[in-house]
Amino acid sequence: MAQVRIVSDGPNYRHQIHAGAHHVVADEPATLGGQGAGMAPFELYLAALSACTAITLRMYAEKKGWDLGEFRAELSSSRDADNRLLVHRVLHASGALDDVQWQRLLDVVERTPVTLVMREGAVITSERAAG
């Protein structure tokens, strides 16, 4: 499905993330000992969800012949009393969409591929590289 590679190039917590021909810098903010040179891990988490949100809704709207205009999604995270992560999305579109279209978009956004994976969790394994 997807593959990324991360390389620690310093200073402190700055890392280069590579996916094919693309790269992103990850870091921690200065308040956590980083340099603020890139997005922090939970920002990358929200970025993945926001990208999937925007792409899925754009694809859906195009298929329906709806004009989203400029679309943006604002995501924020917090923790509840049990320390579970809560993510909230606020969706904006400059296109002239009626209430029925918006309700359909809000239904579709609940089933984007990344939304579903984040809700169900993932099996994560690790191993030491040979050599």
Side-chain angles (χ1 to χ4, degrees):
M1 264 178 63
Q3 185 173 358
V4 299
R5 178 176 49 95
I6 189 164
V7 178
S8 177
D9 68 349
N12 298 13
Y13 305 126
R14 187 182 73 199
H15 288 72
Q16 300 290 328
I17 301 172
H18 303 273
H22 307 285
H23 77 277
V24 173
V25 175
D27 198 357
E28 289 287 358
T31 56
L32 295 177
Q35 301 295 311
M39 287 189 277
F42 275 102
E43 291 169 331
L44 290 164
Y45 181 86
L46 292 179
L49 181 58
S50 66
C52 189
T53 296
I55 292 168
T56 300
L57 292 185
R58 176 70 62 191
M59 290 170 79
Y60 184 83
E62 286 177 359
K63 181 178 173 184
K64 291 292 194 176
W66 300 348
D67 178 19
L68 284 183
E70 180 183 284
F71 177 83
R72 72 180 195 278
E74 299 167 355
L75 283 74
S76 59
S77 65
S78 60
R79 297 276 183 180
D80 68 10
D82 295 323
N83 205 31
R84 289 181 308 167
L85 185 67
L86 305 174
V87 176
H88 183 68
R89 288 184 279 215
V90 178
L91 310 178
H92 304 264
S94 67
L97 300 170
D98 62 31
D99 289 341
V100 172
Q101 290 169 314
W102 265 111
Q103 188 54 54
R104 185 65 190 131
L105 291 174
L106 290 169
D107 291 341
V108 169
V109 80
E110 294 302 317
R111 293 182 306 283
T112 70
V114 174
T115 299
L116 294 175
V117 169
M118 288 181 172
R119 284 196 176 129
E120 74 185 22
V123 175
I124 303 172
T125 61
S126 303
E127 67 180 82
R128 181 180 175 182

